[in-house]
Amino acid sequence: VTLRLRAGITAGPALLYLTAGPAWQQTKLTIGDVSDRTWQIGAALGGGIELELTRSMFVGLEALHYIFPNEGAPFSEFLDSENQHTAVRARLGFKLN
């Protein structure tokens, strides 16, 4: 889950933007019959581009890097984890007005 702000500039029919904000994740680790689940708060940082195809349709490409602290992760006192990941998303959107 993320709650992000986005700021950018237009270049013709394109919008180039940066985005950042807090992120939450629920982690679960199971080893045999032992299981631990917890929520963590971290950050999401990224950027992207949206390109207007018509007045009511656009395409976009976005990359987000999620960072979460190692402390508080399931079994973090026993296991070492980078606890971060990157996601790349492509989308097709429609404006309804």
Side-chain angles (χ1 to χ4, degrees):
V1 177
T2 65
L3 179 64
R4 295 178 284 131
L5 296 176
R6 185 167 83 160
I9 59 170
T10 58
L15 170 67
L16 304 168
Y17 64 89
L18 296 175
T19 184
W24 295 264
Q25 75 174 357
Q26 186 178 50
T27 58
K28 179 181 178 185
L29 180 63
T30 303
I31 300 175
D33 293 334
V34 179
S35 179
D36 189 19
R37 182 187 308 232
T38 185
W39 279 94
Q40 291 184 295
I41 188 167
L45 311 164
I49 183 170
E50 287 183 358
L51 180 60
E52 188 176 64
L53 300 176
T54 68
R55 286 184 54 106
S56 62
M57 186 169 44
F58 65 92
V59 293
L61 183 65
E62 178 179 71
L64 285 174
H65 186 70
Y66 298 90
I67 304 168
F68 295 94
N70 283 336
E71 298 81 33
F75 300 105
S76 60
E77 62 273 14
F78 305 111
L79 302 173
D80 187 26
S81 170
E82 292 288 319
N83 211 6
Q84 52 185 304
H85 55 278
T86 301
V88 178
R89 300 179 184 141
R91 68 180 166 274
L92 174 64
F94 299 93
K95 300 176 188 174
L96 300 178
N97 56 356

